[in-house]
Amino acid sequence: MQDSVTLTEDDEGKTVINSNGDKIGRVVNVEHGKAHVDPDPGLTDRIRSKLGWGEADEGDYVLDSSSIERVSDGEIHLSR
């Protein structure tokens, strides 16, 4: 597990994978180092987040960086 994960706008659009290997959502926005994850993004949401046009909304979940195991080019893997 990484000691400290700092998320940036470059992480917008990445798929979030749980510890079982299941896709659980997509990062739609990163604000102040915290990722806002849409658990069921539609096609429009996925395109907007890849273009950096995502916005957090009430249906999103804030991803706590302490639960991140690793970040790759296209995915964020959770430790729990």
Side-chain angles (χ1 to χ4, degrees):
M1 184 156 88
Q2 296 178 1
D3 291 333
S4 177
V5 176
T6 302
L7 299 174
T8 68
E9 289 181 4
D10 291 338
D11 295 310
E12 292 178 0
K14 290 184 178 182
T15 301
V16 179
I17 309 292
N18 70 12
S19 60
N20 295 325
D22 300 321
K23 293 179 183 179
I24 61 168
R26 181 171 302 275
V27 176
V28 292
N29 193 27
V30 176
E31 291 180 3
H32 310 291
K34 294 185 180 187
H36 297 264
V37 179
D38 184 342
D40 186 26
L43 178 60
T44 302
D45 292 333
R46 289 194 300 265
I47 292 170
R48 290 175 60 84
S49 66
K50 284 186 182 248
L51 293 173
W53 297 347
E55 292 183 9
D57 67 27
E58 60 196 43
D60 297 341
Y61 296 93
V62 176
L63 179 60
D64 181 35
S65 63
S66 67
S67 63
I68 297 174
E69 180 176 314
R70 64 187 160 90
V71 178
S72 66
D73 287 339
E75 299 175 332
I76 295 176
H77 294 263
L78 304 181
S79 58
R80 49 188 158 111

